[in-house]
Amino acid sequence: MLQNQLGPDPVKQLVLLTGERGFQFLLFSLAISPLARLLTAPLLIQWRRPAGLWAFYFLSLHLLVFFQGYIGWSWTILIEELKERPYISVGALAWLLLVPLALTSTRRARLKLGRRWRLLHRLVFIVAALACLHIIWQVRSDWINAGVYTLTCVLIVGSRYRNLRCFSKAI
Amino acid sequence: MAKQFTDPTLRSSDITPESSYLNRRQFMKGAVVGSAALLAAQTSAADTSKLVSFPSYTSAENSGWPLQVPDVLTPFDDVTNYNNFYEFGMDKSDPARYASAMTLDPWSIRVSSDSGKTSDVQFEDLLRAMDIEERIYRLRCVEAWSMVIPWLGFPLAELIRWLSPEGSFQFVQFQTRYVRAEMRGTRSFSSVIDWPYQEALRMDEAMNPLSFIAVGLYGKSLLAQNGAPLRLVVPWKYGFKSIKSIASIHFTNRLPETSWQSIAPHEYGFYANVNPEVDHPRWSQRFERRLPSSLFSPNRIPTQMFNGYGEYVADLYKNLDLRRYY
């Protein structure tokens, strides 16, 4: 089934599909706060956690397909890829930084971490920057896709300039 | 190497009878030339019902060519629907969708050389002059996927001998057809490719018996997305060397610039020999996905040096550091 719908190279199609969908959810989750403010619709905020978790879900699938289809679960190949192909190590780092965010997405973790939760979850800005780099690094002959995604990301994050400033101060 | 290869997709009815094989020359002069017009006239790429069968050719089994690949053939649908042909878009399915906009009839090839002489060769005339044979070759893309394709065509060496350029030249340079109005990919404002697409071979590479000009595959004429009406096939090099829809051939003594090399010289060298030891900055070249593959059995196989054709081509590079001249 997978083969028929995704053509002769479903591995590549799935890597693209999951990566792109994951990044879209990431952008969406980042856009929710400024949107809620812009539209004065504070209830929108309740979409933020599911959006972030969907991003994590798709990006984890992205990783799984990469392991299964590209490197065949081989540690030696994984290490080689991470060392020699910076776009892959940057992507891996972005996913790693998402893990603590997904783990602390529960209400309990949020209460327990208090102020530090906010700070921790601003890691998402770094994740977004790394994800853009991951995409830009792969441009071969046409930059339109990477360009549109990066521009969207810059616009969304830029509209959250105040948050960013707090974040950099906190560091 | 001498292992007998039986192609499971070939039926006994596909085998050319001995009588027509013996009469092939006369037959070709008549039938092929007659159908050449048909071949060139076939403009609708997506519509495979219009595919024209080759009236006669020497099948892989009968050709006596020593190197028929004992691999499973990639299905026709995959070969014709999964293509890189950036003139028609970046997506692998774009060429099958849009390449039919390319005018294939009439098709002429501009032949020129450093010595200044230029002539135009009609595709029909070229086809008339050549004996068509079948060659089963592996095709290894630099993106780490691969196919096995039964091509129809003739050795590039035969073409060069037929063109007989005056003088001796070190390189042969090719250009793909470039008509902006017919090629939506070339109209993209964000593309960094300087059209037309260019590729080149060193003359000794071009004269190697493996270098092939394909005019068909699976017994049929080429579809536009596969580089109709004629394309290069250099099976020991990455796929991008095998330039499609050849519109011009130039013989030269200067090392020609090639398209991918001029976009990213640190990634794409002039030689582009398949080499599992030299990684591309984007993709490990140690393994490839032989298509069709699936998620649960990705069909990952180790890549062979020179795509497995080392015995026939390694000599060409014996004085070359393949790490430096990749």
Side-chain angles (χ1 to χ4, degrees), chain B residues 50-81:
Chain B
K50 284 193 187 154
L51 265 176
V52 182
S53 294
F54 261 82
S56 176
Y57 57 88
T58 311
S59 72
E61 278 177 323
N62 294 336
S63 72
W65 175 251
L67 196 71
Q68 300 298 347
V69 176
D71 301 25
V72 178
L73 299 182
T74 303
F76 177 83
D77 280 347
D78 294 340
V79 178
T80 52
N81 285 298

PDB file of all heavy atoms in Angstrom, chain B residues 50-81:
ATOM      1  N   LYS B  50       0.415   5.843 -26.222  1.00  0.00           N
ATOM      2  CA  LYS B  50       0.998   6.307 -27.478  1.00  0.00           C
ATOM      3  C   LYS B  50       2.445   5.861 -27.643  1.00  0.00           C
ATOM      4  O   LYS B  50       3.096   6.226 -28.609  1.00  0.00           O
ATOM      5  CB  LYS B  50       0.935   7.831 -27.554  1.00  0.00           C
ATOM      6  CG  LYS B  50      -0.459   8.332 -27.881  1.00  0.00           C
ATOM      7  CD  LYS B  50      -0.415   9.785 -28.267  1.00  0.00           C
ATOM      8  CE  LYS B  50      -1.814  10.350 -28.432  1.00  0.00           C
ATOM      9  NZ  LYS B  50      -1.844  11.790 -28.207  1.00  0.00           N
ATOM     10  N   LEU B  51       2.929   5.092 -26.670  1.00  0.00           N
ATOM     11  CA  LEU B  51       4.304   4.617 -26.753  1.00  0.00           C
ATOM     12  C   LEU B  51       4.517   3.810 -28.023  1.00  0.00           C
ATOM     13  O   LEU B  51       3.699   2.973 -28.383  1.00  0.00           O
ATOM     14  CB  LEU B  51       4.584   3.702 -25.567  1.00  0.00           C
ATOM     15  CG  LEU B  51       5.233   4.346 -24.368  1.00  0.00           C
ATOM     16  CD1 LEU B  51       5.352   3.331 -23.253  1.00  0.00           C
ATOM     17  CD2 LEU B  51       6.585   4.888 -24.736  1.00  0.00           C
ATOM     18  N   VAL B  52       5.634   4.065 -28.667  1.00  0.00           N
ATOM     19  CA  VAL B  52       5.915   3.350 -29.903  1.00  0.00           C
ATOM     20  C   VAL B  52       6.922   2.237 -29.635  1.00  0.00           C
ATOM     21  O   VAL B  52       7.977   2.470 -29.066  1.00  0.00           O
ATOM     22  CB  VAL B  52       6.488   4.323 -30.948  1.00  0.00           C
ATOM     23  CG1 VAL B  52       6.741   3.596 -32.247  1.00  0.00           C
ATOM     24  CG2 VAL B  52       5.539   5.479 -31.138  1.00  0.00           C
ATOM     25  N   SER B  53       6.565   1.022 -30.048  1.00  0.00           N
ATOM     26  CA  SER B  53       7.493  -0.088 -29.899  1.00  0.00           C
ATOM     27  C   SER B  53       8.560  -0.005 -30.974  1.00  0.00           C
ATOM     28  O   SER B  53       8.287   0.411 -32.100  1.00  0.00           O
ATOM     29  CB  SER B  53       6.765  -1.419 -30.051  1.00  0.00           C
ATOM     30  OG  SER B  53       5.873  -1.577 -28.996  1.00  0.00           O
ATOM     31  N   PHE B  54       9.763  -0.401 -30.611  1.00  0.00           N
ATOM     32  CA  PHE B  54      10.800  -0.473 -31.630  1.00  0.00           C
ATOM     33  C   PHE B  54      10.525  -1.657 -32.529  1.00  0.00           C
ATOM     34  O   PHE B  54      10.289  -2.756 -32.048  1.00  0.00           O
ATOM     35  CB  PHE B  54      12.177  -0.585 -30.980  1.00  0.00           C
ATOM     36  CG  PHE B  54      12.869   0.720 -30.936  1.00  0.00           C
ATOM     37  CD1 PHE B  54      12.588   1.619 -29.927  1.00  0.00           C
ATOM     38  CD2 PHE B  54      13.765   1.080 -31.919  1.00  0.00           C
ATOM     39  CE1 PHE B  54      13.196   2.851 -29.891  1.00  0.00           C
ATOM     40  CE2 PHE B  54      14.384   2.310 -31.898  1.00  0.00           C
ATOM     41  CZ  PHE B  54      14.105   3.202 -30.880  1.00  0.00           C
ATOM     42  N   PRO B  55      10.540  -1.444 -33.846  1.00  0.00           N
ATOM     43  CA  PRO B  55      10.221  -2.534 -34.761  1.00  0.00           C
ATOM     44  C   PRO B  55      11.252  -3.656 -34.655  1.00  0.00           C
ATOM     45  O   PRO B  55      10.911  -4.818 -34.766  1.00  0.00           O
ATOM     46  CB  PRO B  55      10.262  -1.883 -36.140  1.00  0.00           C
ATOM     47  CG  PRO B  55      11.012  -0.612 -35.963  1.00  0.00           C
ATOM     48  CD  PRO B  55      10.836  -0.186 -34.563  1.00  0.00           C
ATOM     49  N   SER B  56      12.477  -3.298 -34.414  1.00  0.00           N
ATOM     50  CA  SER B  56      13.491  -4.333 -34.373  1.00  0.00           C
ATOM     51  C   SER B  56      14.722  -3.845 -33.623  1.00  0.00           C
ATOM     52  O   SER B  56      15.132  -2.702 -33.787  1.00  0.00           O
ATOM     53  CB  SER B  56      13.898  -4.716 -35.793  1.00  0.00           C
ATOM     54  OG  SER B  56      14.934  -5.656 -35.743  1.00  0.00           O
ATOM     55  N   TYR B  57      15.255  -4.708 -32.815  1.00  0.00           N
ATOM     56  CA  TYR B  57      16.510  -4.384 -32.137  1.00  0.00           C
ATOM     57  C   TYR B  57      17.115  -5.696 -31.664  1.00  0.00           C
ATOM     58  O   TYR B  57      16.426  -6.722 -31.584  1.00  0.00           O
ATOM     59  CB  TYR B  57      16.284  -3.445 -30.956  1.00  0.00           C
ATOM     60  CG  TYR B  57      15.317  -3.976 -29.919  1.00  0.00           C
ATOM     61  CD1 TYR B  57      15.764  -4.776 -28.863  1.00  0.00           C
ATOM     62  CD2 TYR B  57      13.968  -3.668 -29.978  1.00  0.00           C
ATOM     63  CE1 TYR B  57      14.888  -5.263 -27.908  1.00  0.00           C
ATOM     64  CE2 TYR B  57      13.084  -4.142 -29.038  1.00  0.00           C
ATOM     65  CZ  TYR B  57      13.552  -4.929 -27.999  1.00  0.00           C
ATOM     66  OH  TYR B  57      12.679  -5.408 -27.063  1.00  0.00           O
ATOM     67  N   THR B  58      18.382  -5.667 -31.359  1.00  0.00           N
ATOM     68  CA  THR B  58      19.024  -6.864 -30.833  1.00  0.00           C
ATOM     69  C   THR B  58      18.794  -6.910 -29.337  1.00  0.00           C
ATOM     70  O   THR B  58      19.210  -6.006 -28.616  1.00  0.00           O
ATOM     71  CB  THR B  58      20.532  -6.829 -31.119  1.00  0.00           C
ATOM     72  OG1 THR B  58      20.707  -6.505 -32.498  1.00  0.00           O
ATOM     73  CG2 THR B  58      21.167  -8.159 -30.822  1.00  0.00           C
ATOM     74  N   SER B  59      18.105  -7.930 -28.875  1.00  0.00           N
ATOM     75  CA  SER B  59      17.789  -7.988 -27.457  1.00  0.00           C
ATOM     76  C   SER B  59      19.055  -8.252 -26.646  1.00  0.00           C
ATOM     77  O   SER B  59      20.074  -8.710 -27.184  1.00  0.00           O
ATOM     78  CB  SER B  59      16.776  -9.086 -27.198  1.00  0.00           C
ATOM     79  OG  SER B  59      17.401 -10.337 -27.340  1.00  0.00           O
ATOM     80  N   ALA B  60      18.969  -7.943 -25.375  1.00  0.00           N
ATOM     81  CA  ALA B  60      20.127  -8.110 -24.495  1.00  0.00           C
ATOM     82  C   ALA B  60      20.672  -9.528 -24.585  1.00  0.00           C
ATOM     83  O   ALA B  60      21.880  -9.750 -24.631  1.00  0.00           O
ATOM     84  CB  ALA B  60      19.737  -7.777 -23.068  1.00  0.00           C
ATOM     85  N   GLU B  61      19.763 -10.494 -24.646  1.00  0.00           N
ATOM     86  CA  GLU B  61      20.185 -11.895 -24.677  1.00  0.00           C
ATOM     87  C   GLU B  61      21.000 -12.222 -25.922  1.00  0.00           C
ATOM     88  O   GLU B  61      21.930 -13.007 -25.882  1.00  0.00           O
ATOM     89  CB  GLU B  61      18.955 -12.805 -24.681  1.00  0.00           C
ATOM     90  CG  GLU B  61      18.381 -13.039 -23.319  1.00  0.00           C
ATOM     91  CD  GLU B  61      17.122 -13.890 -23.394  1.00  0.00           C
ATOM     92  OE1 GLU B  61      16.363 -13.709 -24.368  1.00  0.00           O
ATOM     93  OE2 GLU B  61      16.917 -14.703 -22.507  1.00  0.00           O
ATOM     94  N   ASN B  62      20.612 -11.627 -27.047  1.00  0.00           N
ATOM     95  CA  ASN B  62      21.252 -11.975 -28.313  1.00  0.00           C
ATOM     96  C   ASN B  62      22.426 -11.080 -28.677  1.00  0.00           C
ATOM     97  O   ASN B  62      23.067 -11.291 -29.688  1.00  0.00           O
ATOM     98  CB  ASN B  62      20.222 -11.892 -29.455  1.00  0.00           C
ATOM     99  CG  ASN B  62      19.156 -12.953 -29.279  1.00  0.00           C
ATOM    100  OD1 ASN B  62      19.393 -13.962 -28.644  1.00  0.00           O
ATOM    101  ND2 ASN B  62      17.976 -12.690 -29.818  1.00  0.00           N
ATOM    102  N   SER B  63      22.669 -10.046 -27.882  1.00  0.00           N
ATOM    103  CA  SER B  63      23.630  -9.046 -28.343  1.00  0.00           C
ATOM    104  C   SER B  63      25.070  -9.517 -28.217  1.00  0.00           C
ATOM    105  O   SER B  63      25.952  -8.959 -28.836  1.00  0.00           O
ATOM    106  CB  SER B  63      23.450  -7.752 -27.559  1.00  0.00           C
ATOM    107  OG  SER B  63      23.928  -7.928 -26.241  1.00  0.00           O
ATOM    108  N   GLY B  64      25.303 -10.506 -27.376  1.00  0.00           N
ATOM    109  CA  GLY B  64      26.667 -10.941 -27.190  1.00  0.00           C
ATOM    110  C   GLY B  64      27.460  -9.990 -26.314  1.00  0.00           C
ATOM    111  O   GLY B  64      28.636 -10.181 -26.051  1.00  0.00           O
ATOM    112  N   TRP B  65      26.817  -8.941 -25.867  1.00  0.00           N
ATOM    113  CA  TRP B  65      27.446  -7.995 -24.936  1.00  0.00           C
ATOM    114  C   TRP B  65      27.732  -8.737 -23.641  1.00  0.00           C
ATOM    115  O   TRP B  65      26.859  -9.377 -23.078  1.00  0.00           O
ATOM    116  CB  TRP B  65      26.496  -6.823 -24.722  1.00  0.00           C
ATOM    117  CG  TRP B  65      26.961  -5.856 -23.709  1.00  0.00           C
ATOM    118  CD1 TRP B  65      26.442  -5.651 -22.472  1.00  0.00           C
ATOM    119  CD2 TRP B  65      28.056  -4.950 -23.838  1.00  0.00           C
ATOM    120  NE1 TRP B  65      27.137  -4.689 -21.822  1.00  0.00           N
ATOM    121  CE2 TRP B  65      28.138  -4.239 -22.630  1.00  0.00           C
ATOM    122  CE3 TRP B  65      28.985  -4.690 -24.847  1.00  0.00           C
ATOM    123  CZ2 TRP B  65      29.111  -3.269 -22.399  1.00  0.00           C
ATOM    124  CZ3 TRP B  65      29.953  -3.724 -24.621  1.00  0.00           C
ATOM    125  CH2 TRP B  65      30.001  -3.026 -23.417  1.00  0.00           C
ATOM    126  N   PRO B  66      28.967  -8.686 -23.152  1.00  0.00           N
ATOM    127  CA  PRO B  66      29.348  -9.569 -22.052  1.00  0.00           C
ATOM    128  C   PRO B  66      28.774  -9.153 -20.695  1.00  0.00           C
ATOM    129  O   PRO B  66      28.819  -9.924 -19.755  1.00  0.00           O
ATOM    130  CB  PRO B  66      30.877  -9.462 -22.038  1.00  0.00           C
ATOM    131  CG  PRO B  66      31.168  -8.137 -22.643  1.00  0.00           C
ATOM    132  CD  PRO B  66      30.088  -7.888 -23.650  1.00  0.00           C
ATOM    133  N   LEU B  67      28.254  -7.962 -20.614  1.00  0.00           N
ATOM    134  CA  LEU B  67      27.967  -7.446 -19.283  1.00  0.00           C
ATOM    135  C   LEU B  67      26.488  -7.145 -19.086  1.00  0.00           C
ATOM    136  O   LEU B  67      26.106  -6.015 -18.886  1.00  0.00           O
ATOM    137  CB  LEU B  67      28.795  -6.177 -19.050  1.00  0.00           C
ATOM    138  CG  LEU B  67      28.897  -5.731 -17.609  1.00  0.00           C
ATOM    139  CD1 LEU B  67      29.770  -6.670 -16.812  1.00  0.00           C
ATOM    140  CD2 LEU B  67      29.447  -4.322 -17.536  1.00  0.00           C
ATOM    141  N   GLN B  68      25.660  -8.155 -19.198  1.00  0.00           N
ATOM    142  CA  GLN B  68      24.254  -7.940 -18.883  1.00  0.00           C
ATOM    143  C   GLN B  68      24.074  -8.151 -17.383  1.00  0.00           C
ATOM    144  O   GLN B  68      24.483  -9.153 -16.839  1.00  0.00           O
ATOM    145  CB  GLN B  68      23.372  -8.871 -19.698  1.00  0.00           C
ATOM    146  CG  GLN B  68      23.514  -8.676 -21.212  1.00  0.00           C
ATOM    147  CD  GLN B  68      23.106  -7.286 -21.703  1.00  0.00           C
ATOM    148  OE1 GLN B  68      22.493  -6.509 -20.994  1.00  0.00           O
ATOM    149  NE2 GLN B  68      23.466  -6.979 -22.943  1.00  0.00           N
ATOM    150  N   VAL B  69      23.462  -7.168 -16.747  1.00  0.00           N
ATOM    151  CA  VAL B  69      23.391  -7.157 -15.290  1.00  0.00           C
ATOM    152  C   VAL B  69      22.411  -8.215 -14.779  1.00  0.00           C
ATOM    153  O   VAL B  69      21.273  -8.256 -15.227  1.00  0.00           O
ATOM    154  CB  VAL B  69      22.934  -5.764 -14.813  1.00  0.00           C
ATOM    155  CG1 VAL B  69      22.765  -5.738 -13.321  1.00  0.00           C
ATOM    156  CG2 VAL B  69      23.941  -4.722 -15.257  1.00  0.00           C
ATOM    157  N   PRO B  70      22.835  -9.076 -13.855  1.00  0.00           N
ATOM    158  CA  PRO B  70      21.934 -10.112 -13.356  1.00  0.00           C
ATOM    159  C   PRO B  70      21.005  -9.613 -12.248  1.00  0.00           C
ATOM    160  O   PRO B  70      20.643 -10.363 -11.357  1.00  0.00           O
ATOM    161  CB  PRO B  70      22.911 -11.161 -12.817  1.00  0.00           C
ATOM    162  CG  PRO B  70      24.073 -10.368 -12.359  1.00  0.00           C
ATOM    163  CD  PRO B  70      24.171  -9.175 -13.264  1.00  0.00           C
ATOM    164  N   ASP B  71      20.624  -8.352 -12.260  1.00  0.00           N
ATOM    165  CA  ASP B  71      19.766  -7.797 -11.202  1.00  0.00           C
ATOM    166  C   ASP B  71      18.312  -7.797 -11.660  1.00  0.00           C
ATOM    167  O   ASP B  71      18.022  -7.885 -12.851  1.00  0.00           O
ATOM    168  CB  ASP B  71      20.169  -6.354 -10.886  1.00  0.00           C
ATOM    169  CG  ASP B  71      21.614  -6.225 -10.441  1.00  0.00           C
ATOM    170  OD1 ASP B  71      22.411  -7.100 -10.809  1.00  0.00           O
ATOM    171  OD2 ASP B  71      21.939  -5.249  -9.768  1.00  0.00           O
ATOM    172  N   VAL B  72      17.431  -7.666 -10.698  1.00  0.00           N
ATOM    173  CA  VAL B  72      16.008  -7.564 -11.016  1.00  0.00           C
ATOM    174  C   VAL B  72      15.742  -6.210 -11.667  1.00  0.00           C
ATOM    175  O   VAL B  72      16.228  -5.180 -11.201  1.00  0.00           O
ATOM    176  CB  VAL B  72      15.164  -7.685  -9.720  1.00  0.00           C
ATOM    177  CG1 VAL B  72      13.681  -7.543 -10.033  1.00  0.00           C
ATOM    178  CG2 VAL B  72      15.452  -9.010  -9.042  1.00  0.00           C
ATOM    179  N   LEU B  73      14.986  -6.214 -12.753  1.00  0.00           N
ATOM    180  CA  LEU B  73      14.705  -4.962 -13.445  1.00  0.00           C
ATOM    181  C   LEU B  73      13.738  -4.099 -12.637  1.00  0.00           C
ATOM    182  O   LEU B  73      12.829  -4.596 -11.985  1.00  0.00           O
ATOM    183  CB  LEU B  73      14.077  -5.243 -14.821  1.00  0.00           C
ATOM    184  CG  LEU B  73      14.905  -6.053 -15.808  1.00  0.00           C
ATOM    185  CD1 LEU B  73      14.161  -6.191 -17.122  1.00  0.00           C
ATOM    186  CD2 LEU B  73      16.254  -5.398 -16.040  1.00  0.00           C
ATOM    187  N   THR B  74      13.935  -2.793 -12.693  1.00  0.00           N
ATOM    188  CA  THR B  74      12.989  -1.852 -12.084  1.00  0.00           C
ATOM    189  C   THR B  74      11.765  -1.768 -12.996  1.00  0.00           C
ATOM    190  O   THR B  74      11.914  -1.608 -14.205  1.00  0.00           O
ATOM    191  CB  THR B  74      13.662  -0.477 -11.946  1.00  0.00           C
ATOM    192  OG1 THR B  74      14.857  -0.625 -11.186  1.00  0.00           O
ATOM    193  CG2 THR B  74      12.744   0.512 -11.254  1.00  0.00           C
ATOM    194  N   PRO B  75      10.556  -1.873 -12.429  1.00  0.00           N
ATOM    195  CA  PRO B  75       9.363  -1.867 -13.278  1.00  0.00           C
ATOM    196  C   PRO B  75       9.264  -0.620 -14.155  1.00  0.00           C
ATOM    197  O   PRO B  75       9.686   0.465 -13.768  1.00  0.00           O
ATOM    198  CB  PRO B  75       8.213  -1.898 -12.277  1.00  0.00           C
ATOM    199  CG  PRO B  75       8.792  -2.441 -11.026  1.00  0.00           C
ATOM    200  CD  PRO B  75      10.236  -2.040 -11.012  1.00  0.00           C
ATOM    201  N   PHE B  76       8.693  -0.816 -15.331  1.00  0.00           N
ATOM    202  CA  PHE B  76       8.516   0.260 -16.309  1.00  0.00           C
ATOM    203  C   PHE B  76       7.874   1.506 -15.695  1.00  0.00           C
ATOM    204  O   PHE B  76       8.322   2.630 -15.917  1.00  0.00           O
ATOM    205  CB  PHE B  76       7.673  -0.265 -17.471  1.00  0.00           C
ATOM    206  CG  PHE B  76       7.367   0.773 -18.511  1.00  0.00           C
ATOM    207  CD1 PHE B  76       8.288   1.058 -19.512  1.00  0.00           C
ATOM    208  CD2 PHE B  76       6.160   1.451 -18.497  1.00  0.00           C
ATOM    209  CE1 PHE B  76       8.021   2.019 -20.464  1.00  0.00           C
ATOM    210  CE2 PHE B  76       5.875   2.419 -19.445  1.00  0.00           C
ATOM    211  CZ  PHE B  76       6.808   2.702 -20.433  1.00  0.00           C
ATOM    212  N   ASP B  77       6.827   1.296 -14.888  1.00  0.00           N
ATOM    213  CA  ASP B  77       6.115   2.437 -14.311  1.00  0.00           C
ATOM    214  C   ASP B  77       7.009   3.272 -13.399  1.00  0.00           C
ATOM    215  O   ASP B  77       6.874   4.494 -13.330  1.00  0.00           O
ATOM    216  CB  ASP B  77       4.892   1.965 -13.517  1.00  0.00           C
ATOM    217  CG  ASP B  77       3.730   1.669 -14.445  1.00  0.00           C
ATOM    218  OD1 ASP B  77       3.807   2.066 -15.623  1.00  0.00           O
ATOM    219  OD2 ASP B  77       2.762   1.026 -13.989  1.00  0.00           O
ATOM    220  N   ASP B  78       7.899   2.604 -12.691  1.00  0.00           N
ATOM    221  CA  ASP B  78       8.797   3.347 -11.808  1.00  0.00           C
ATOM    222  C   ASP B  78       9.852   4.094 -12.613  1.00  0.00           C
ATOM    223  O   ASP B  78      10.195   5.237 -12.308  1.00  0.00           O
ATOM    224  CB  ASP B  78       9.473   2.394 -10.812  1.00  0.00           C
ATOM    225  CG  ASP B  78       8.466   1.776  -9.851  1.00  0.00           C
ATOM    226  OD1 ASP B  78       7.364   2.352  -9.715  1.00  0.00           O
ATOM    227  OD2 ASP B  78       8.763   0.736  -9.258  1.00  0.00           O
ATOM    228  N   VAL B  79      10.347   3.441 -13.650  1.00  0.00           N
ATOM    229  CA  VAL B  79      11.373   4.084 -14.487  1.00  0.00           C
ATOM    230  C   VAL B  79      10.803   5.330 -15.166  1.00  0.00           C
ATOM    231  O   VAL B  79      11.508   6.313 -15.379  1.00  0.00           O
ATOM    232  CB  VAL B  79      11.907   3.099 -15.558  1.00  0.00           C
ATOM    233  CG1 VAL B  79      12.930   3.786 -16.461  1.00  0.00           C
ATOM    234  CG2 VAL B  79      12.540   1.883 -14.900  1.00  0.00           C
ATOM    235  N   THR B  80       9.516   5.305 -15.475  1.00  0.00           N
ATOM    236  CA  THR B  80       8.943   6.420 -16.227  1.00  0.00           C
ATOM    237  C   THR B  80       8.183   7.431 -15.355  1.00  0.00           C
ATOM    238  O   THR B  80       7.725   8.450 -15.857  1.00  0.00           O
ATOM    239  CB  THR B  80       7.965   5.912 -17.316  1.00  0.00           C
ATOM    240  OG1 THR B  80       7.027   5.028 -16.699  1.00  0.00           O
ATOM    241  CG2 THR B  80       8.715   5.161 -18.391  1.00  0.00           C
ATOM    242  N   ASN B  81       8.053   7.138 -14.061  1.00  0.00           N
ATOM    243  CA  ASN B  81       7.327   8.071 -13.191  1.00  0.00           C
ATOM    244  C   ASN B  81       8.151   8.634 -12.052  1.00  0.00           C
ATOM    245  O   ASN B  81       7.657   9.424 -11.248  1.00  0.00           O
ATOM    246  CB  ASN B  81       6.072   7.410 -12.626  1.00  0.00           C
ATOM    247  CG  ASN B  81       4.989   7.309 -13.658  1.00  0.00           C
ATOM    248  OD1 ASN B  81       4.497   8.308 -14.166  1.00  0.00           O
ATOM    249  ND2 ASN B  81       4.642   6.079 -14.025  1.00  0.00           N
TER     250      ASN B  81
END
